[in-house]
Amino acid sequence: MAQIRPFAAIRYTRRGLDLSQVIAPPYDVLDERAKTALQAKHPNNIVEIDLPHLPPKVVGPDAAYERAGQTLKRWLSEGILVRDSRPAFYPYMQSFEHGGRMFHRRGFFALVRLSPFGKGQVVPHELTYKGPIEDRLRLMRATGVQLSPIFGLYNDPENLVTAALYRNLGRPEQSAVLEEVRHDLWSICDAEVENRVIDLMGSRPIYIADGHHRYTTALQYQAQVQHAAGWPLPESHPANWCLFVLVGMQDPGLLILPTHRMIGGLRTFDMDVLRARLGATFEVSEVGGADIEHYANHVLRQRPPHTFGLFDGRLRRLYELRLRNADVLAALEPDKSPHWRQLDVAILQRYLLDEVIEPAFAGGELVKGYTADAAQVAPQVDGQRYQIALLLQPTPLSALEQLGRSGEVMPQKSTYFYPKLATGMVINPLQP
C-alpha cells in the first residue's frame, strides 16, 4: 500500500515578495545562461541553493554544496524562508496553454513513504545513472532538505482524491507565473480531509512520471542515515519519506508529450537506401510540405500506432514511416514483455537506430539530441550537427501501469510531462 502523509513545509512567505521572482524550473534543465537569468530576477531565487554549481547532473566541489547549505540557513534565519507551524497537504495547480487550449493540472504536495523499487507501491519507468544521484545526495546532506518534488501519478478514474482536496478551497494562498505557466498553491490542515485522502491513496500504486534520480537519492540518503544511527529508524523519521507532487492519471490537465529524436554523426543519409534496408517492415511515404510542427502536433497524433515521422535536414523533406510488422522486436528482444516491445520508443531505438540507421549511415557513435517541442526540430536539424530527426507519437499513460506490473523500465526519454514542476513552491525539511 502507498503510504502518504502531510508535512510542515518550508516556504517563501515574506510579505511583499513576488513568488514569480524566486521559483525556478528543475535544476537539470538549466544551463549557465538560464541560471544567470534567474539570479537576475531576485537575489533569493531558489536556484542559488538548488543549482550551486554548473553544469548540472555532475558532482561539484564540496565548497559549492557547503555554500548552498549556508545560504539556506541564512534565508531561514532572516525569514526569507519560513517553516509552516502545522503539517498540511498542499494542493498545487498548474494552468497553461498548449496547442491553442487551456489546461489546469491539479495535484498536491505530500510525503510518500520510501520503498525500494520493486518492493513497494512506488513504481519506476526509467533507468537512473550514478552522476546525478551523487550530486543530489551531496546537496541533500549539505542542506538537510528536499528541494524538488518527484512527480508521481496514481490511478483514480473517479477523481476522488482531487475532489476531496479541492472542494471549497477558495483563492490560492500563493501564486506565481514561470515560463507562461501559472502555479497556484493552497494548504489544507483538516484532519477529516487528510484522513480521507490518506485512505484513498492507500490502495493505489504511485508511478514515477519524473524524478527517478531524486527518488533514488532519497533512498541512498535514508540508507546513510540508517547506517549512522546504528538501529532501525522510527516510522516517522523524515529520512523515511520523500517529497512528491501527486496527480491523478485521469486528471484532464495531465498532458504527456513525445520526445523527438535528432540524430547526427552520420557519414551520409539517403532515403532510398533507408527504404531498401527497411524492406517490407515499414511503409514509407513522403509528406507534402515540411511543416514539422503542424505534422508532429496534429497529423502524426491522428495516425495509427507505430507511425513515425522522419525529417531529412539536408534536403528539408519530411517522410512518414508506418510499421507493418507489429512485433518487429520479437527476435531482437525475446526476453522483454509484449508491452515493452510495442513501445514506439523501443521500436525506434532498438530497431530503427540500432539495426538500420546506425549500421547503414553512421561513421561512429550517433550524436543524439532530444526535444519535446516540434518547433525546435527544423532549426536544429540542418544537416550539420543533426542530419535527421525522428518524430514520435506520445507514449500512452497505460504503458506505465503495464510495465510496472512486469517490473520493466522504458528506454531513456520515453515520456515528457508538460509542464515541469516548479522548484521553490514548497521545500521538505529532513530534520524532525
Side-chain angles (χ1 to χ4, degrees), residues 7 88-92 107-111 149 185 243-245 422 425-426:
F7 67 108
F89 286 136
Y90 297 87
Y92 171 48
F108 67 106
F109 285 92
L111 298 188
L185 188 74
L243 179 63
F244 270 73
V245 166
M425 296 296 294
V426 304

Side-chain angles (χ1 to χ4, degrees), residues 9 40 48 80 120 143 147 156 180 195 237 240 272 276 330 341 416:
E48 287 284 342
I80 295 164
T143 59
L147 291 156
D156 188 10
E180 300 183 345
N195 290 333
H237 194 285
N240 286 330
D272 289 335
R341 296 200 300 263
Y416 186 95

Side-chain angles (χ1 to χ4, degrees), residues 100-180:
R101 292 177 52 201
M102 279 300 300
F103 293 82
H104 303 280
R105 187 170 73 191
R106 298 184 298 173
F108 67 106
F109 285 92
L111 298 188
V112 175
R113 182 68 160 88
L114 287 166
S115 59
F117 290 139
K119 297 183 180 179
Q121 291 293 89
V122 177
V123 183
H125 80 270
E126 287 188 355
L127 297 172
T128 57
Y129 301 92
K130 183 178 179 180
I133 295 169
E134 181 61 26
D135 165 59
R136 293 294 96 179
L137 184 59
R138 292 192 183 194
L139 184 63
M140 188 179 291
R141 288 200 301 258
T143 59
V145 299
Q146 290 174 327
L147 291 156
S148 300
I150 289 109
F151 187 2
L153 301 173
Y154 60 92
N155 194 3
D156 188 10
E158 299 178 27
N159 285 313
L160 297 175
V161 174
T162 301
L165 285 164
Y166 279 78
R167 185 179 295 117
N168 302 322
L169 272 185
R171 297 183 64 180
E173 296 175 18
Q174 293 177 289
S175 296
V177 176
L178 179 66
E179 298 179 343
E180 300 183 345

Side-chain angles (χ1 to χ4, degrees), residues 64-377:
Y65 303 110
E66 293 169 3
R67 185 169 60 250
Q70 292 165 0
T71 299
L72 177 64
K73 290 178 182 177
R74 177 167 55 82
W75 289 3
L76 286 166
S77 67
E78 294 174 357
I80 295 164
L81 293 172
V82 178
R83 185 172 184 178
D84 287 346
S85 60
R86 294 178 56 190
F89 286 136
Y90 297 87
Y92 171 48
M93 183 168 71
Q94 293 171 281
S95 301
F96 57 97
E97 184 178 347
H98 184 80
R101 292 177 52 201
M102 279 300 300
F103 293 82
H104 303 280
R105 187 170 73 191
R106 298 184 298 173
F108 67 106
F109 285 92
L111 298 188
V112 175
R113 182 68 160 88
L114 287 166
S115 59
F117 290 139
K119 297 183 180 179
Q121 291 293 89
V122 177
V123 183
H125 80 270
E126 287 188 355
L127 297 172
T128 57
Y129 301 92
K130 183 178 179 180
I133 295 169
E134 181 61 26
D135 165 59
R136 293 294 96 179
L137 184 59
R138 292 192 183 194
L139 184 63
M140 188 179 291
R141 288 200 301 258
T143 59
V145 299
Q146 290 174 327
L147 291 156
S148 300
I150 289 109
F151 187 2
L153 301 173
Y154 60 92
N155 194 3
D156 188 10
E158 299 178 27
N159 285 313
L160 297 175
V161 174
T162 301
L165 285 164
Y166 279 78
R167 185 179 295 117
N168 302 322
L169 272 185
R171 297 183 64 180
E173 296 175 18
Q174 293 177 289
S175 296
V177 176
L178 179 66
E179 298 179 343
E180 300 183 345
V181 178
R182 180 181 175 88
H183 302 260
D184 292 321
L185 188 74
W186 298 260
S187 63
I188 294 178
C189 302
D190 183 309
E192 183 176 345
V193 174
E194 290 172 358
N195 290 333
R196 168 71 171 156
V197 171
I198 289 170
D199 288 345
L200 286 169
M201 288 298 301
S203 60
R204 306 172 197 271
I206 294 171
Y207 301 88
I208 295 182
D210 197 7
H212 291 78
H213 289 94
R214 293 190 291 277
Y215 189 85
T216 305
T217 300
L219 287 170
Q220 292 198 10
Y221 179 82
Q222 178 194 45
Q224 290 183 357
V225 173
Q226 171 75 60
H227 178 76
W231 57 78
L233 299 176
E235 173 77 14
S236 61
H237 194 285
N240 286 330
W241 300 80
C242 189
L243 179 63
F244 270 73
V245 166
L246 299 171
V247 176
M249 287 183 172
Q250 293 77 21
D251 187 88
L254 186 61
L255 182 62
I256 182 170
L257 304 178
T259 303
H260 307 299
R261 270 62 170 168
M262 301 179 292
I263 306 299
L266 305 180
R267 297 188 313 272
T268 183
F269 180 77
D270 187 298
M271 198 64 201
D272 289 335
V273 174
L274 180 64
R275 289 177 194 267
R277 290 188 66 93
L278 291 173
T281 306
F282 275 89
E283 175 187 343
V284 181
S285 59
E286 186 168 355
V287 178
D291 188 342
I292 297 175
E293 184 177 7
H294 175 76
Y295 174 79
N297 293 338
H298 301 286
V299 179
L300 182 58
R301 293 182 181 220
Q302 305 303 317
R303 294 294 196 243
H306 313 317
T307 301
F308 303 85
L310 187 150
F311 177 66
D312 183 335
R314 182 176 62 88
L315 299 179
R316 315 308 284 175
R317 289 182 177 175
L318 182 62
Y319 300 88
E320 185 170 278
L321 284 60
R322 293 194 187 187
L323 185 66
R324 286 171 169 165
N325 177 6
D327 208 3
V328 67
L329 297 184
L332 296 172
E333 296 289 349
D335 295 332
K336 298 290 188 182
S337 71
H339 292 303
W340 190 93
R341 296 200 300 263
Q342 292 295 304
L343 291 170
D344 280 357
V345 287
I347 294 167
L348 183 151
Q349 178 62 54
R350 189 63 188 87
Y351 179 70
L352 281 173
L353 291 179
D354 291 354
E355 300 295 321
V356 180
I357 292 174
E358 186 170 1
F361 306 113
E365 187 175 353
L366 293 178
V367 177
K368 298 177 184 177
Y370 306 91
T371 181
D373 183 0
Q376 297 299 314
V377 171

